[in-house]
Amino acid sequence: MTRHEQVNEMLAGLALGALNPDEEAEARIHIRECSVCAADLAAMSEVASALPLTVDEVEAPASLRQRVHEISATDAGTKPAPPRIVRFFPRPRRPGYVGLTWAAAAAIAIGLVGWNVSLQRQLSQNSGELAQLRNQVQHRALVSPGNGNVGSIAYLAGDRLALLSLHGLTRPEAGKAYELWVIPTGDQPVPAGTFLPDEDGNKLLVIPHQLAAGDQIAVTVELAAGSLHPTSTPVATAKI
Amino acid sequence: VSQGLERAAIHDALGSIPPEQRRAIELAYFGGYTHREIAERLDLPLGTVKGQLRLGLEKLHSYLSGRGMLSR
């Protein structure tokens, strides 16, 4: 097989970010001098750039957002402000590095700090709607080895949303971030997105459609771009 | 073309290619795996994975360009 043929068969991997750094460097040397491969790569890269659009946007159901929003506002005694929805879309992985499966599958975060606390407090009220919501919510503690409870997970089975509320997180050193892992029963950890806590060490995340009974959740500190496998001791774990 | 239509077209395009090609592309692009890791994970020869990625992208390109959604 000629050099051209070797590189040409790697072009799809290059366009998708699926080559290791050595392979990519090798391929790019050839591509600089080969107009055929350069054109093929450009065409494949254009297709790859459209792939993020294949991900479904996932939003919390409007009814749930409204209920949560009202609960939060009632608790704070303030006029409700519009809920802030933040979507995370997939991004091409860096050469030789990992993309975000879960983030790529699209997640939402509802910007209602204190949501979980408010929800739990309000759930104690004998309201029909809240009682119904309470029946949907399964709570699990997020535990840190040596530091006890560092947050909680509220899994809304009916709405198929899991909300992670973390607190007391220190800011990772430069170039690093927290990475969330979903560990299906009997399977390997699946990277589920990186994040940084706010200035107060809090973070609220929503994961849709990903968890099942028995799954484990873990949070580790990794390089900011994310890791394919956990490389450090979890700072928080929980079992659904 | 609105983003909604683009999204639908790309969904359709991805659904139109053989499942093994789609799976390889998804593992590479969304899963962040290298083609060697995909080969190990799926227990396939590396050459097969390279071929699946290439054929998959070529079919997506053909599908999308045929609908005027690509410039090349």
Side-chain angles (χ1 to χ4, degrees):
Chain A
M1 184 180 286
T2 65
R3 186 83 202 114
H4 169 76
E5 289 169 336
Q6 288 175 345
V7 171
N8 198 262
E9 73 169 11
M10 293 196 298
L11 293 178
L14 181 58
L16 293 163
L19 301 188
N20 67 40
D22 290 342
E23 291 170 330
E24 178 175 352
E26 195 177 343
R28 291 198 183 283
I29 289 171
H30 171 78
I31 292 165
R32 279 200 293 269
E33 300 171 348
C34 177
S35 59
V36 174
C37 285
D40 283 354
L41 176 62
M44 291 183 190
S45 297
E46 190 173 13
V47 175
S49 69
L51 290 175
L53 287 174
T54 63
V55 176
D56 290 324
E57 294 184 20
V58 180
E59 287 192 20
S63 59
L64 173 64
R65 293 207 310 271
Q66 186 60 35
R67 279 180 288 164
V68 168
H69 183 47
E70 288 171 359
I71 290 168
S72 179
T74 301
D75 186 63
T78 58
K79 183 180 178 181
R84 180 170 60 87
I85 303 297
V86 181
R87 296 190 187 92
F88 297 92
F89 288 97
R91 58 174 173 72
R93 68 199 280 287
R94 293 193 319 178
Y97 218 72
V98 63
L100 302 178
T101 303
W102 173 97
I108 58 170
I110 302 175
L112 298 172
V113 176
W115 182 97
N116 203 23
V117 173
S118 299
L119 176 60
Q120 293 181 60
R121 191 175 303 155
Q122 293 295 321
L123 285 175
S124 65
Q125 296 181 2
N126 188 21
S127 154
E129 186 178 12
L130 290 176
Q132 188 177 5
L133 184 57
R134 177 177 54 194
N135 290 335
Q136 295 181 18
V137 179
Q138 303 166 27
H139 291 283
R140 299 288 185 272
L142 275 161
V143 178
S144 168
N147 289 322
N149 191 320
V150 291
S152 64
I153 295 176
Y155 180 52
L156 288 76
D159 291 291
R160 304 197 67 193
L161 293 171
L163 185 143
L164 279 69
S165 176
L166 290 149
H167 56 78
L169 297 174
T170 56
R171 190 90 176 171
E173 62 185 86
K176 295 203 169 183
Y178 289 100
E179 184 155 11
L180 182 67
W181 303 92
V182 175
I183 310 172
T185 304
D187 207 341
Q188 298 296 310
V190 176
T194 58
F195 65 89
L196 292 172
D198 65 20
E199 293 176 352
D200 298 321
N202 300 316
K203 189 65 184 181
L204 198 63
L205 299 166
V206 175
I207 308 177
H209 305 284
Q210 294 296 305
L211 304 178
D215 286 355
Q216 289 193 319
I217 299 297
V219 176
T220 62
V221 175
E222 306 291 343
L223 291 172
S227 180
L228 189 59
H229 306 289
T231 63
S232 64
T233 303
V235 297
T237 59
K239 187 171 185 177
I240 299 300
Chain B
V1 181
S2 75
Q3 190 177 72
L5 290 176
E6 287 179 353
R7 187 183 302 279
I10 295 166
H11 258 295
D12 291 345
L14 205 56
S16 73
I17 67 176
E20 64 273 16
Q21 293 171 14
R22 183 168 64 247
R23 180 176 54 177
I25 289 173
E26 288 173 344
L27 284 171
Y29 189 81
F30 296 116
Y33 294 98
T34 66
H35 55 190
R36 293 180 189 280
E37 291 167 338
I38 295 169
E40 288 174 12
R41 188 181 176 92
L42 300 180
D43 196 23
L44 292 172
L46 177 59
T48 301
V49 172
K50 288 178 180 176
Q52 288 174 344
L53 294 175
R54 183 179 189 91
L55 286 172
L57 284 188
E58 285 176 350
K59 287 176 183 172
L60 289 176
H61 187 276
S62 174
Y63 187 102
L64 295 173
S65 60
R67 285 156 182 76
M69 295 182 62
L70 297 178
S71 60
R72 297 172 194 276

